[in-house]
Amino acid sequence: MRRRSLVQLAASVAFLFHFPLIAQSVGARPYVVLVSLDGFRYDYAKRYHAGNLLALGKAGAYAEAMIPSFPTVTFPNHISIVTGQYPEHHGIVGNSFWDPKLQQMYSMNRASTESAFYHYKPIWVVAEEQRVKTAAMFWPTSDAEIEGVRPTYWEPYDGHVPNQERVAKVLAWLKLPEAERPHFLALYFSDVDSAGHSHGPDSPETADAVHRVDKLIGDLWSGLKALPFGVNLIVVSDHGMQTTEGSVDLSRFTDLSKVKVVTEGPVAFIYAPDSQTAAQVYGALKGKSSLFDVYYRKDTPSNWHFNEGERIGDLVVCVKAPVSIIAGPRERPESSGPPRANSSRGAHGFDPAGFKTMQAIFYAAGPNIRPGVVLPAFENVNVFPLLAKILEIQSPPGIDGSEKVLDPAYRE
């Protein structure tokens, strides 16, 4: 009777998710495909009628929003999702930053060769160390050697590779013989972020990009359902997008020649040679504009989780209005007063507590995802514990995320 009941239960699960029965032995390790839709704001799916994403959430679980880590830019948040750590702990505090110990600049444009900066363990490294095969199609830093490890299957990032080829590659990896098949796979698309930056979140170009990536999700989901075993599909984004107008130039308020300034859209990291210089710049910027605020690293807002590590800088400047920060004359309009008109574009990096437009997405369905679950907004560091639990791998010590947060969406 027990065996018959288990078979009936498996059939019910397959029907509910429209997934075929799992053709694996009882206790076999599950599969997860994690997809990032860069710059896909929390409200885009409903706003632009992304039917496949909405169907995925209806078949499984989705969140009202996923809250990105600060600063709300691409590389820090992609790494937070796959490590369960805030940027202050995994160390990728921006798309670019200065490392005082290495005396080097980090740049996401050189990510595959920047292994000296990587002291974290993303999910693919954790899995590989536990002899679980993984694959990655362009997830940030997945083409770099980290702690001496790479995914079993990976491709060097090439933004010119057509999106359909990316989907086909993931499906091809899943069609490998069972002994060679990866159990965790990562996939990345940049279309929505690019459109949002160039045309703004309210543009027809952004709507078109949403429709394109939604079709890709539909194609991927159909391909997964055609496999003779179940696969969990989890779709996330790293951040949202905000319409901005103009910028504020910090050099109008103080001499920046003695410090190193790294701007990150609405955020700037200031690295000073000594505490006296840091204090001088702080005093020259503090309270001088309604457009931004400046903090000593140790005094940054607690919700940022952003005060550990020299990579953050001695001072952090963050805007309070929808403008960007620059540290010297640029071609873009700049202002110490109200933003100028006629320069609308899209940007991210803002404090997620002050800009709801920074919030991201979480949609999931599959054998290990409970159907009909709507999750309240949660921080993206909580995705990693769910991934580890589904993959049946041991999480490393020191993660910031909690398994309890997404437990309502998990099913044995």
Side-chain angles (χ1 to χ4, degrees):
M1 291 295 293
R2 175 177 170 79
R3 182 177 179 182
R4 184 177 180 181
S5 297
L6 288 174
V7 172
Q8 290 174 335
L9 176 60
S12 298
V13 171
F15 176 78
L16 283 171
F17 287 104
H18 304 287
F19 278 89
L21 289 174
I22 302 175
Q24 292 175 278
S25 59
V26 175
R29 193 182 304 276
Y31 294 87
V32 177
V33 175
L34 177 67
V35 183
S36 167
L37 306 180
D38 197 328
F40 200 111
R41 204 168 73 182
Y42 79 100
D43 60 344
Y44 279 175
K46 290 183 178 178
R47 183 178 185 182
Y48 294 126
H49 310 293
N52 290 310
L53 270 176
L54 295 174
L56 186 72
K58 187 176 181 180
Y62 69 93
E64 294 175 351
M66 190 167 73
I67 302 169
S69 298
F70 182 87
T72 51
V73 293
T74 299
F75 268 55
N77 279 280
H78 275 91
I79 306 309
S80 287
I81 290 167
V82 295
T83 62
Q85 295 180 308
Y86 297 117
E88 67 175 356
H89 292 148
H90 63 60
I92 306 305
V93 299
N95 289 337
S96 57
F97 54 85
W98 173 253
D99 187 314
K101 290 182 180 178
L102 294 176
Q103 287 291 293
Q104 292 180 34
M105 277 290 297
Y106 175 84
S107 171
M108 67 177 185
N109 296 324
R110 301 187 302 270
S112 65
T113 63
E114 301 280 51
S115 295
F117 291 88
Y118 305 145
H119 303 296
Y120 56 85
K121 288 189 177 183
I123 188 74
W124 57 86
V125 170
V126 176
E128 293 283 346
E129 289 182 340
Q130 296 178 41
R131 300 185 178 181
V132 177
K133 288 183 170 61
T134 64
M137 194 68 186
F138 300 164
W139 193 278
T141 75
S142 64
D143 54 356
E145 188 175 275
I146 299 176
E147 299 292 311
V149 180
R150 278 191 169 101
T152 301
Y153 309 102
W154 59 279
E155 294 286 337
Y157 182 74
D158 181 353
H160 296 101
V161 174
N163 288 333
Q164 288 290 357
E165 288 187 20
R166 305 182 192 194
V167 172
K169 190 70 173 180
V170 167
L171 293 174
W173 281 328
L174 284 167
K175 292 175 183 177
L176 290 170
E178 185 173 357
E180 301 172 25
R181 193 183 302 148
H183 283 264
F184 171 80
L185 303 93
L187 178 60
Y188 170 84
F189 301 114
S190 61
D191 300 48
V192 175
D193 183 68
S194 298
H197 276 302
S198 298
H199 305 284
D202 304 319
S203 66
E205 290 84 358
T206 295
D208 288 343
V210 167
H211 296 151
R212 287 198 305 275
V213 298
D214 184 62
K215 183 182 184 304
L216 293 166
I217 295 301
D219 293 343
L220 175 61
W221 196 14
S222 295
L224 296 179
K225 289 187 289 185
L227 295 170
F229 51 88
V231 180
N232 297 284
L233 175 59
I234 299 176
V235 182
V236 298
S237 60
D238 49 351
H239 53 69
M241 191 68 67
Q242 168 68 43
T243 300
T244 62
E245 294 185 351
S247 55
V248 55
D249 183 358
L250 298 183
S251 69
R252 291 189 169 190
F253 302 90
T254 186
D255 178 11
L256 298 174
S257 63
K258 296 181 180 179
V259 296
K260 182 181 292 292
V261 183
V262 178
T263 58
E264 195 77 91
V267 178
F269 307 144
I270 298 177
Y271 305 84
D274 51 59
S275 58
Q276 181 179 0
T277 304
Q280 289 173 347
V281 175
Y282 178 86
L285 294 177
K286 186 66 175 178
K288 299 302 191 296
S289 172
S290 62
L291 295 179
F292 64 83
D293 208 344
V294 59
Y295 305 90
Y296 284 106
R297 180 174 68 238
K298 65 181 179 62
D299 297 328
T300 56
S302 59
N303 68 287
W304 290 4
H305 303 282
F306 204 65
N307 56 25
E308 297 181 26
E310 293 181 340
R311 290 177 176 181
I312 292 172
D314 300 287
L315 306 175
V316 179
V317 183
C318 185
V319 301
K320 297 185 288 185
V323 297
S324 296
I325 292 174
I326 60 175
R330 301 278 181 88
E331 292 181 0
R332 290 183 298 173
E334 66 255 0
S335 166
S336 59
R340 296 182 183 181
N342 302 320
S343 59
S344 295
R345 61 190 300 273
H348 49 87
F350 301 89
D351 180 355
F355 289 80
K356 190 174 181 179
T357 50
M358 293 299 98
Q359 293 184 355
I361 60 168
F362 175 92
Y363 292 89
N368 297 105
I369 302 297
R370 192 184 302 277
V373 174
V374 181
L375 298 158
F378 66 87
E379 293 182 302
N380 64 7
V381 293
N382 297 295
V383 173
F384 177 91
L386 175 66
L387 297 175
K389 189 171 185 176
I390 293 174
L391 291 168
E392 300 173 355
I393 60 176
Q394 185 68 39
S395 295
I399 68 170
D400 298 306
S402 170
E403 185 180 288
K404 295 179 180 179
V405 174
L406 295 183
D407 255 358
Y410 173 77
R411 178 161 58 182
E412 293 282 352

